[in-house]
Amino acid sequence: MAAPSAAGLGRRLRAWLPRIMPVRWSRYNPSYLEPEVKKESHQKPLEELTEEQREQMELKAVRPIKAAPPSLSSSVFSDPMISKFTNMMMKSGNKVLARSLMSQTLEAIKRKQLEKYHKAPENEKETIECNPYVIFHQALKNCQPIIGLSNITKGGKTYQVPVPLTDNRKCFLAMKWLITECRENKHRRTLMPEKLSQELLLAFNNEGPVIKRKHVLHKMAEANRAYAHFRWW
Amino acid sequence: MAAPAYPAWVTRWVSGQWRNKKRPPTLRPPRTLALADKVANRREQSTEATCITEMSVMMACWKQNDFNDTPCAEEIRMFYDCVAKAEKERKNQNEDTVSSRGNLPSSKVNKLLKRFPQITHYV
């Protein structure tokens, strides 16, 4: 083909032919824009916007917009991390059950913290955190590993090489560890909200088995630090 | 006397090859001696591992403080900064220009050579 190297732009907005096979990714024409859900961005007056934001608004007047997925919400109570955690807890697509478990967990955290608050002496009352969302976020942040291990094969042998992780991967690992810890290492008859609230409160205080698992991973990375040069990125 | 079997040097002498100084060819090229329109595929473009110093500093801090994160917050922040910078560097790195080693990747070289092929015939 005699096309020059700048063929990317033409390739993106070429004639889009719809496919018939079912696929797992989205099949929108590349000209469709993402929906803007936050109310604040729509209520800003025109003068406050920068040049590129004004161009975005012009573009939105002419281009079609994708349908907003049901998990995207404009409510003040929606939290993307909590939604992600709920989805990871969900089994066989039972979102109703997962969501109710999540709300019961948050309620259980609030109850425990309030109990502690009312029993504490006056000077310690400010130090007790009662907001379950704050506790959830802080616990997740405490559980996130800082460095991970990846298998790299060199000369026929596979080594565990310490490797920096992306933010998404850290979040995912923290949530996965919490959920597996609650599912596997607890007594069979305890309910999930109770187990989860207990784990989250322990992680909030930097104690508990999930934090220990994170420390074990760090220790292994530290032991294998000689292999760090096997990385090529 | 059906077919007299002379030694090989007799046949050669009689045919006059020696007098014409005929020698076996000095060069027997396995392929045609001309430049091809592609280079061989080399895989050696591996770069070095980034952020090793920050990582070792952070691990030393961990060893001292029993793997707690709060005393090592500064080192961890420096490690994260280094990782973010390396990631941005990798994304911005444009493969079309010459890389840090001074070599173009072989696929790009082949594309360029294909656009300007060697003319081996007269029209």
Side-chain angles (χ1 to χ4, degrees):
Chain A
M1 282 227 303
S5 51
L9 193 58
R11 215 181 322 145
R12 258 182 265 137
L13 290 183
R14 216 169 36 187
W16 174 78
L17 299 158
R19 280 184 242 218
I20 312 192
M21 284 303 293
V23 292
R24 202 161 157 250
W25 24 266
S26 93
R27 298 204 284 161
Y28 279 110
N29 190 335
S31 62
Y32 275 63
L33 303 170
E34 299 287 334
E36 177 63 56
V37 169
K38 291 197 296 219
K39 259 193 248 176
E40 294 86 18
S41 60
H42 291 293
Q43 281 162 357
K44 272 204 279 201
L46 209 64
E47 293 79 25
E48 275 183 35
L49 304 177
T50 59
E51 271 313 308
E52 56 213 39
Q53 280 173 333
R54 253 173 253 222
E55 279 170 31
Q56 276 287 89
M57 296 284 283
E58 307 282 303
L59 207 56
K60 277 189 190 166
V62 285
R63 292 275 189 90
I65 305 204
K66 297 186 195 176
S71 51
L72 200 62
S73 144
S74 61
S75 141
V76 291
F77 302 111
S78 71
D79 188 353
M81 281 251 251
I82 301 247
S83 318
K84 186 70 89 184
F85 196 77
T86 325
N87 286 341
M88 282 176 74
M89 266 211 298
M90 172 166 68
K91 277 188 178 176
S92 330
N94 196 348
K95 181 77 147 247
V96 173
L97 183 61
R99 216 176 131 160
S100 69
L101 286 176
M102 192 72 219
S103 48
Q104 285 169 31
T105 311
L106 294 169
E107 188 192 333
I109 294 177
K110 180 92 186 186
R111 274 183 197 270
K112 289 185 188 172
Q113 291 296 91
L114 274 180
E115 206 183 312
K116 251 204 292 198
Y117 181 85
H118 288 300
K119 284 197 191 146
E122 280 305 324
N123 49 353
E124 278 175 38
K125 277 201 168 149
E126 280 113 28
T127 55
I128 297 182
E129 180 61 52
C130 282
N131 187 351
Y133 293 94
V134 166
I135 292 186
F136 179 78
H137 285 273
Q138 187 59 41
L140 265 190
K141 215 152 98 169
N142 288 349
C143 286
Q144 282 178 7
I146 293 162
I147 201 169
L149 289 173
S150 99
N151 297 350
I152 292 188
T153 319
K154 200 152 171 153
K157 274 179 73 171
T158 330
Y159 300 97
Q160 300 270 70
V161 173
V163 135
L165 299 168
T166 55
D167 283 328
N168 282 346
R169 179 86 185 146
K170 287 181 203 153
C171 259
F172 169 77
L173 279 175
M175 294 197 223
K176 186 94 186 162
W177 287 345
L178 271 172
I179 295 178
T180 30
E181 175 63 39
C182 287
R183 279 184 185 162
E184 285 163 21
N185 296 347
K186 300 283 183 216
H187 183 62
R188 181 183 64 91
R189 294 277 301 240
T190 37
L191 296 169
M192 188 69 169
E194 194 189 312
K195 297 188 276 202
L196 248 188
S197 54
Q198 194 183 21
E199 283 301 322
L200 282 168
L201 284 169
L202 285 175
F204 178 70
N205 296 328
N206 267 319
E207 299 149 355
V210 188
I211 301 283
K212 237 178 106 183
R213 188 164 169 176
K214 174 181 95 147
H215 285 336
V216 159
L217 182 65
H218 284 174
K219 282 184 189 143
M220 282 218 310
E222 207 268 326
N224 283 4
R225 67 181 184 274
Y227 298 137
H229 287 278
F230 286 179
R231 229 180 352 130
W232 58 84
W233 67 95
Chain B
M1 302 234 263
Y6 298 116
W9 63 268
V10 170
T11 333
R12 269 209 272 149
W13 186 28
V14 161
S15 70
Q17 275 178 3
W18 257 334
R19 282 190 29 241
N20 292 337
K21 293 200 182 104
K22 200 151 174 198
R23 297 277 177 270
T26 38
L27 207 64
R28 291 196 297 188
R31 293 176 287 210
T32 40
L33 291 176
L35 289 176
D37 284 331
K38 51 186 178 169
V39 287
N41 274 334
R42 280 199 309 181
R43 204 232 131 229
E44 62 128 304
Q45 308 284 343
S46 50
T47 43
E48 308 84 21
T50 46
C51 303
I52 299 247
T53 37
E54 273 84 1
M55 186 161 65
S56 41
V57 160
M58 187 175 69
M59 288 187 170
C61 177
W62 269 347
K63 257 209 125 89
Q64 282 170 358
N65 297 337
D66 192 28
F67 291 90
N68 272 335
D69 285 338
T70 26
C72 298
E74 183 59 36
E75 278 84 359
I76 293 177
R77 191 189 61 80
M78 271 175 30
F79 180 62
Y80 282 165
D81 287 342
C82 174
V83 165
K85 213 156 52 125
E87 191 61 41
K88 223 165 74 126
E89 182 69 37
R90 264 188 66 221
K91 272 179 87 153
N92 288 344
Q93 174 191 62
N94 188 8
E95 281 299 321
D96 281 343
T97 56
V98 176
S99 72
S100 54
R101 302 278 185 80
N103 290 331
L104 269 182
S106 54
S107 50
K108 296 283 184 325
V109 172
N110 282 339
K111 281 204 185 114
L112 275 174
L113 286 175
K114 212 164 190 169
R115 280 168 64 190
F116 305 106
Q118 192 87 333
I119 304 173
T120 51
H121 53 271
Y122 282 117
V123 174

